[in-house]
Amino acid sequence: MKVRDFEQGRCFLARLDLDAEIIGQITDLAKSEGIETGVFSVIGALKQAELACYDQTAHEYRTIRVDGPVELVTAWGNVSLRDCRRFVHAHAVLADSEGRTRGGHLMKGGVFAAELCMQELVGEPLIREHDPATGLYLWGDR
Amino acid sequence: MKVRDFEQGRCFLARLDLDAEIIGQITDLAKSEGIETGVFSVIGALKQAELACYDQTAHEYRTIRVDGPVELVTAWGNVSLRDCRRFVHAHAVLADSEGRTRGGHLMKGGVFAAELCMQELVGEPLIREHDPATGLYLWGDR
Amino acid sequence: MKVRDFEQGRCFLARLDLDAEIIGQITDLAKSEGIETGVFSVIGALKQAELACYDQTAHEYRTIRVDGPVELVTAWGNVSLRDCRRFVHAHAVLADSEGRTRGGHLMKGGVFAAELCMQELVGEPLIREHDPATGLYLWGDR
């Protein structure tokens, strides 16, 4: 297990913009506020979204399109660095008008309304590196 | 994007009361501890619940009744002010005895057992105002 | 409602080990870092898992086996003490390659990749005691 400890920095609450793309908005907040490491949650509603499931054998993401309006029951994720840029890793649970849920890696989503809580973590930044065993970019030793 | 930053205040862990109504209990904690802004998570089990999905066209919540006992897989939400009162906005994922899930906006729920983590945020309170574009009460500019 | 307030301690981000058991890894982190009280979230992917739903009448957990690889859409939980040992209480939402979700109490899971955020809470530790009304071990008065 690779472990790094941080101190809490600022905590941001944000109302995301109607019709914006959710991952882009979260990335923009991290950039504009200078957050290199953080964790976040979001609740709200999306106009449409794209989830993904990682194929653990083929080492590829399989896309899952979610058409039509859905509740963003919750999204949770983190911010760290990859290739010297801020990288947002987010997972989400979505629900339709009857409460039926779909979940996975959140690739993108069109915001209807979304309330974000971003906790800045202060310490040596985590850097994602390619991990041959999984094919993913995971936190490395640096 | 409307962004406000806060400092962490106290963090509360609470065991909610058997047979209490969950949103009422969270609101009571915010009132009794003087929390104007906060974020929270809950895990536990409910005797029954009511979820909702917001109709993005009609601008109305559609109610989803969940009869019978369910795991409260997770609830997540925030506390802010609306009409000068503390307002709890919560979403939840519920699961039945076979692990089948339903999710959405959490309107109410009867507590079997529930463990709450409430993080107080210290700063200028966020105030919900009617947003004509969505029909929702979202964080305004004040 | 039984309420206790804490101050934030350290916040840990950890990359869990390939093929490790997830609850064991979270428990190990709590032990090695001396965390008696904390809250955590995890996102990632599991090779297989075991969920459970608590039967509120029979006062027994019903096991739900999840074979095959799944996204760990999110896990959320807490650390407190039971019988003088650190006890991890975790719930999780899992999703398959089509985004179909299952959820419940997370008994165990084999890690493919998992990113953990553990927030240490500093204060008088919470101690789980048997609660006759529910049959569960809940936070007591001590």
Side-chain angles (χ1 to χ4, degrees), chain A residues 8-18 24-26 28-29 32-33 40-48 69-74 76 93 95-102 112-117 119-120, chain B residues 1-8 37-39 51-57 59 61-64 74 76-79 89-93 101-105 121 126 128-129 131 133-140:
Chain A
Q8 284 80 14
R10 300 160 291 171
C11 186
F12 298 89
L13 293 182
R15 166 184 163 183
L16 304 190
D17 293 333
L18 181 69
Q25 290 251 297
I26 298 170
D28 286 348
L29 177 66
S32 65
E33 297 292 344
F40 62 85
S41 299
V42 196
I43 57 174
L46 299 177
K47 292 188 168 187
Q48 79 289 130
V70 284
E71 290 290 300
L72 175 57
V73 184
T74 185
W76 198 88
V93 180
D96 69 13
S97 60
E98 298 184 46
R100 289 175 299 218
T101 51
R102 269 175 292 181
F112 179 76
E115 295 173 355
L116 167 70
C117 175
Q119 175 63 55
E120 179 189 32
Chain B
M1 195 171 10
K2 297 183 180 179
V3 182
R4 191 165 293 175
D5 68 300
F6 296 87
E7 294 188 356
Q8 284 81 12
T37 313
V39 291
L51 299 173
C53 182
Y54 192 70
D55 184 321
Q56 298 179 16
T57 305
H59 288 187
Y61 278 104
R62 306 295 184 189
T63 300
I64 302 159
T74 185
W76 197 88
N78 56 57
V79 178
H89 181 200
H91 281 200
V93 179
T101 51
R102 270 175 292 182
H105 182 100
L121 298 177
L126 285 163
R128 291 186 179 277
E129 297 172 355
D131 172 55
T134 61
L136 294 166
Y137 284 77
L138 302 178
W139 296 328

Side-chain angles (χ1 to χ4, degrees), chain C:
Chain C
M1 193 172 11
K2 298 182 181 179
V3 182
R4 190 165 294 175
D5 68 300
F6 296 87
E7 294 187 357
Q8 284 81 11
R10 299 160 291 171
C11 186
F12 298 89
L13 293 182
R15 167 185 163 182
L16 304 190
D17 292 335
L18 181 69
D19 289 320
E21 195 287 306
I22 186 169
I23 300 294
Q25 289 252 297
I26 299 170
T27 307
D28 286 349
L29 176 67
K31 283 183 189 168
S32 64
E33 297 292 345
I35 300 167
E36 290 187 322
T37 313
V39 291
F40 61 85
S41 298
V42 197
I43 57 174
L46 299 177
K47 292 188 168 186
Q48 77 291 127
E50 196 173 293
L51 299 173
C53 181
Y54 191 70
D55 184 322
Q56 299 179 16
T57 305
H59 288 187
E60 289 174 351
Y61 278 104
R62 307 294 184 188
T63 300
I64 302 159
R65 279 187 54 188
V66 179
D67 296 321
V70 283
E71 290 290 300
L72 175 57
V73 184
T74 186
W76 198 88
N78 55 57
V79 178
S80 55
L81 299 180
R82 175 177 163 182
D83 299 331
C84 303
R85 300 173 70 167
R86 283 159 181 91
F87 180 84
V88 168
H89 181 201
H91 281 201
V93 179
L94 309 175
D96 69 12
S97 61
E98 299 185 47
R100 290 175 299 219
T101 52
R102 270 176 291 182
H105 182 100
L106 181 61
M107 304 296 273
K108 58 186 175 183
V111 172
F112 179 76
E115 295 174 354
L116 168 70
C117 174
M118 168 77 78
Q119 174 62 55
E120 179 187 33
L121 298 176
V122 177
E124 190 184 356
L126 285 163
I127 298 173
R128 291 186 179 276
E129 297 172 353
H130 184 258
D131 172 55
T134 61
L136 293 166
Y137 284 78
L138 301 178
W139 296 329
D141 292 316
R142 290 181 294 167

